């Protein structure tokens, strides 16, 4: 069996896992976000106090595109914009109340899934899983920088 077949089979199994876990993440569906909005919120959470310019770079879209996404998310209390007191032209983005609720719900679901399923892997399997994901992460990040 060639590498492509392994990867296609693995993707199919991951898709089945995701479909099986949908009931585990139902509480996140109440937030009703688009994929781009979810990505934006994840980046804001990961890079606390991020600027609009840096957010646009990380999302690979224009600052005006980010601003459009931010307007809706700000109105719905997922994010808040704060003007930098040292440089009034610079705006920092942070999570607001609903964004923090989403982040907390997401963490709780991750912990539940880890406890219920991933914890059944033994130490060696967990290390292998981590090593493979880390390697893939490095490959993707490296390729992304070359684009």
């Amino acid at each position: 069996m060639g590498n492509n077949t392994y990867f296609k089979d693995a993707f199919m199994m991951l898709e089945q896992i995701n479909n099986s876990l949908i009931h585990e993440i139902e509480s996140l569906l109440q937030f009703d976000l688009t994929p781009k909005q979810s990505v934006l919120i994840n980046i804001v959470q990961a890079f606390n106090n991020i600027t609009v310019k840096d957010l646009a770079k990380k999302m690979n879209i224009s600052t005006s595109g980010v601003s459009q996404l931010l307007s809706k998310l700000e109105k719905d209390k997922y994010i808040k914009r704060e003007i930098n007191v040292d440089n009034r032209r610079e705006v920092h983005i942070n999570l607001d109340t609903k964004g923090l609720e989403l982040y907390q719900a997401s963490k709780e679901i991750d912990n539940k899934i880890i406890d219920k399923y991933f914890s059944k892997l033994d130490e060696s399997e967990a290390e292998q899983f981590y090593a493979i994901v880390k390697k893939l992460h490095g490959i993707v990040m490296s390729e992304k920088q070359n684009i």
Side-chain angles (χ1 to χ4, degrees):
M1 195 181 314
N3 277 357
N4 283 345
T5 303
Y6 288 124
F7 296 133
K8 286 177 183 177
D9 286 352
F11 281 144
M12 186 179 70
M13 287 184 277
L14 287 170
E15 180 95 12
Q16 290 171 345
I17 290 169
N18 286 337
N19 291 338
S20 296
L21 295 178
I22 197 74
H23 70 279
E24 307 276 352
I25 64 164
E26 276 184 299
S27 64
L28 293 181
L29 300 178
Q30 70 173 327
F31 292 98
D32 197 29
L33 297 169
T34 67
K36 276 189 179 180
Q37 289 172 327
S38 292
V39 167
L40 185 145
I41 288 172
N42 284 333
I43 292 170
V44 169
Q45 187 282 316
F47 298 93
N48 198 23
N49 221 31
I50 191 167
T51 64
V52 173
K53 182 180 172 184
D54 289 341
L55 189 52
K57 267 191 219 172
K58 292 196 179 302
M59 292 186 72
N60 200 27
I61 60 176
S62 67
T63 52
S64 65
V66 166
S67 290
Q68 289 175 357
L69 286 169
L70 290 173
S71 292
K72 170 96 170 89
L73 292 171
E74 184 176 33
K75 183 178 142 238
D76 294 341
K77 300 283 187 211
Y78 284 99
I79 60 97
K80 56 186 171 187
R81 301 183 217 214
E82 298 168 347
I83 296 171
N84 182 350
V85 292
D86 297 326
N87 178 358
R88 299 205 38 84
R89 291 179 297 169
E90 190 175 79
V91 176
H92 291 272
I93 310 301
N94 289 294
L95 294 181
D96 203 348
T97 52
K98 258 183 122 171
L100 292 167
E101 285 174 26
L102 173 63
Y103 174 66
Q104 187 59 40
S106 181
K107 270 182 33 180
E108 288 171 11
I109 289 168
D110 286 351
N111 289 336
K112 181 178 174 185
I113 289 171
I114 289 167
D115 290 345
K116 192 170 182 180
Y117 303 107
F118 285 77
S119 66
K120 290 185 172 51
L121 298 175
D122 65 34
E123 183 82 19
S124 171
E125 292 166 329
E127 288 173 2
Q128 289 172 4
F129 176 77
Y130 175 77
I132 291 168
V133 171
K134 184 177 178 182
K135 184 172 183 175
L136 278 171
H137 179 267
I139 291 168
V140 171
M141 295 299 110
S142 175
E143 289 293 320
K144 188 175 176 191
Q145 288 178 346
N146 292 335
I147 293 176

